[in-house]
Amino acid sequence: MVAISRHWSRTVLSLCNRGFHSQLQPQNFVPFSQQQLQRNFLESQLVSLLHGCSDFNQLRQVHANIIRMGLDQCCFVLTKFIRVLTKFMVPMDYPRLVFDQVRRPNPFIWTALIRGYSLLGPFSEAVVLYNCMRKEGTRPVSFIFSALFKACGATHDFNSGRQVHCQTISIGGFVSDLYVGNTLIDMYVKCGFLDYGRRVFDEMMDRDVISWTSLITAYAKNGAMEVAGELFDRLPDKDMVAWTAMVTGYAQNARPREALRLFERMRDAGVETDEVTLVGVISACAQLGAEKYARWIRDVAEHAGLGPTTNVVVGSALIDMYSKCGSVDEAYQVFEMMMEKNVYSYSAMIVGFAMHGKADAAMRLFYEMVKTETKPNRVTFIGVLTACSHAGLVEQGRNLFGSMQGIYGITPSADHYACMVDLLGRSGHLEEAYELVKTMEIEPHGGVWGALLGACRIHGNPDIAEIAASHLFELEPTGIGNYVLLSNIYASAGRWDDVSRVRKLIRKKGMKKNPACSWVEASNGVIHEFFAADMTHPKSKEIKQALEELLERLKLAGYKPNLSSVVYDLSDNEKEQLLMTHSEKLALVFGLLTTSAGSSIRIVKNLRICEDCHSFMLSASGVTRREIVVRDNMRFHHFRDGLCSCGDFW
DNA sequence: TCCAGCACTC
């Protein structure tokens, strides 16, 4: 019997598929020639050799064999070869060379090559080649389209993607292919045309959980959590990935509590947890900044066998979480126990040190990293530059910034300039900071001008502030913080007319001030929330009284209210009253009332801590003999015995 | 022979 030929088995298969079972009679098959059999045998031998390859050198040897056996025009074998090369992520020059030597490429080898480009890049080459293929009159096979849409998605090339999509419609049939449909949704979403993706989804004949999840993720990334949630509820068979997409969506949209609630529901539903799910939940815990949740999720991770020792992704997320929860020491413990460390782990740790004002540790780790195989990336530099900025290490920062391009091959981005402006401006080199902005080769973004404006606030420079603010008003017309900052700068300079001018502008634009808010964890792990001048908390009366008592004690110890922190034109007495309503002071007093003596108090604040609250905390940490940790939207302050980890420089 | 969720950024 003829048993080993692929042609034979293919013929049988296609006859079966078309319902011609009756033709499956031995007499209907022309026996293969001996030569053909020999060739088929060789081909299948080579293909199995290809699949057994474990490194690039072996692949080259098989290639040499293909040529030696005279199969250098055999599309069947070469297609497999190109696929394996792609799997090994061999740069596309090599597959291209192989392809270019084939005189009459068939649709499959075209597809393999195009797919290679769509996975490894240069992505734009995929569409170029596809057009060549069409010009030569080769009819595309359906699965070429998922490769093309992937490539267009990677380059955000909406026009090409749209064009190819229209062609699939005119060729007919392929749009109803589930895989093609899913990649098409993904392509439109990546190009920023969510509505087009939605339309494809709505028009698809059948959808699987992947189609739903693509769309859910897209809405979540757009901040449309309500739409995402609606889709999620309608999804009949939710799998781990779909659940994770929702959990992560809430975390990414700064809704950590909902993320945790959904994660609990997910576990109740008996869905498994993997590292991706965990990372989303860990990020939610990091946002809450509470020790209780940090401990809990660490246990969950260890329990699932996904602890930091063995899992680098979970480890890096945990480093970030512990840093943001105020436990930089614990973050470092995690870092040290990790068997594998990559650029994420190093960067997270460096950023963690920077946030806590441990500039020396950050720099040390950076130089340690440089000695390893792991190359620093743009985020790593954000970390070290921030560290310099928080510690006022101007010279070191200048050197690092200067070495980015030359030594590490990283072109400074606007974010890096923002760090430098922050460093220079904060340390009093306002003019130099402004000069740096003026000489930037790339367009400065809001972060750059924002850093300059912030520095003007510290050093009281309304003139440069006006310039920075005017750019900010254009770049971020709805950014209320910039207006508030400018008005504060005018207020500090006593320019009350300008203050009211800015206030009017705010009112005219219909903007509302972001309410200041602080959170503090009570001893039972429950988180309490305080807004500025908030009297809605059940214990408000006690808090107010305790605050007044504390104020008297602090004044005796030398604390003086910093009245210039108040941006309203009020009497000194009124200013002092107003300062006592700041949310972090309420949170502090609540913490003092509800936690046991000796334990530390952790406060998280949504805005930057003001100067008066900073000196209040300093004094309070000395008088009450408590450690106070405040996380504002920029960094951490550890107050102990009347001193702060930031060295009063922030 | 392809398709979904992913850690570090003032």
Side-chain angles (χ1 to χ4, degrees), chain A residues 44 71 141 241 578 630 647:
Chain A
S44 46
L71 292 173
V141 286
V241 180
L578 198 64
V630 178

Side-chain angles (χ1 to χ4, degrees), chain A residues 156-217:
Chain A
H156 305 280
D157 184 356
F158 171 75
N159 289 332
S160 304
R162 181 89 192 129
Q163 225 166 19
V164 177
H165 179 194
C166 292
Q167 283 182 26
T168 63
I169 296 171
S170 67
I171 293 170
F174 296 147
V175 248
S176 60
D177 184 309
L178 183 60
Y179 294 133
V180 174
N182 284 346
T183 34
L184 187 53
I185 294 179
D186 200 48
M187 185 274 290
Y188 279 132
V189 165
K190 284 208 175 92
C191 293
F193 290 78
L194 208 160
D195 293 347
Y196 278 78
R198 178 61 187 254
R199 209 176 307 160
V200 173
F201 176 84
D202 287 337
E203 286 169 3
M204 273 164 82
M205 306 270 206
D206 38 46
R207 310 175 186 114
D208 61 3
V209 66
I210 295 179
S211 337
W212 288 84
T213 310
S214 295
L215 214 56
I216 289 173
T217 311

Side-chain angles (χ1 to χ4, degrees), chain A residues 21 38 65 92 95 167 170 172 182 214 258 262 282 309 324 340 359 366 378 409 417 431 451 503 507 510 522 590 628:
Chain A
H21 293 90
Q38 175 82 19
N65 282 330
M92 286 307 289
Q167 283 182 26
S170 67
N182 284 346
S214 295
E258 280 148 291
L262 196 68
I282 292 172
T309 322
K324 287 184 178 151
E340 185 194 343
F366 174 76
R378 8 172 314 136
Y417 276 96
E431 294 290 342
R503 288 240 176 85
R507 265 200 302 278
F590 178 79
I628 305 166

Side-chain angles (χ1 to χ4, degrees), chain A residues 342-348 350-351 366 369-370 374-385 404 408-411 413 416:
Chain A
N342 62 16
V343 64
Y344 287 97
S345 339
Y346 277 102
S347 305
I350 289 171
V351 170
F366 174 76
M369 173 186 186
V370 171
T374 312
K375 298 266 162 294
N377 67 9
R378 8 172 314 136
V379 181
T380 323
F381 275 96
I382 303 266
V384 276
L385 290 175
M404 279 178 66
Y408 302 100
I410 299 168
T411 313
S413 68
H416 296 109

Side-chain angles (χ1 to χ4, degrees), chain A residues 520-524 528 530 537-550 553 584-603 624 626 628:
Chain A
V520 67
E521 197 177 345
S523 54
N524 60 358
H528 292 255
F530 295 91
H537 192 277
K539 292 203 171 176
S540 280
K541 255 190 151 171
E542 282 170 77
I543 294 171
K544 189 159 187 265
Q545 201 187 341
L547 181 57
E548 273 164 20
E549 285 165 23
L550 181 62
R553 284 170 70 196
E584 56 268 53
K585 293 198 183 86
L586 301 179
L588 170 70
V589 173
F590 178 79
L592 285 170
L593 286 174
T594 53
T595 56
S596 52
S599 64
S600 63
I601 295 170
R602 291 158 184 277
I603 299 166
T624 64
R626 294 274 205 124
I628 305 166

Side-chain angles (χ1 to χ4, degrees), chain A residues 303-370:
Chain A
H303 225 77
L306 295 163
T309 322
T310 49
N311 192 304
V312 64
V313 182
V314 170
S316 307
L318 284 176
I319 292 173
D320 175 57
M321 177 189 74
Y322 278 124
S323 307
K324 287 184 178 151
C325 290
S327 319
V328 68
D329 296 338
E330 232 159 318
Y332 191 61
Q333 270 174 26
V334 169
F335 179 78
E336 287 226 289
M337 72 197 288
M338 287 168 67
M339 311 249 268
E340 185 194 343
K341 297 182 179 94
N342 62 16
V343 64
Y344 287 97
S345 339
Y346 277 102
S347 305
M349 197 61 242
I350 289 171
V351 170
F353 281 138
M355 268 197 304
H356 288 270
K358 296 190 176 241
D360 293 344
M363 301 303 284
R364 220 178 304 127
L365 191 60
F366 174 76
Y367 289 116
E368 201 180 300
M369 173 186 186
V370 171

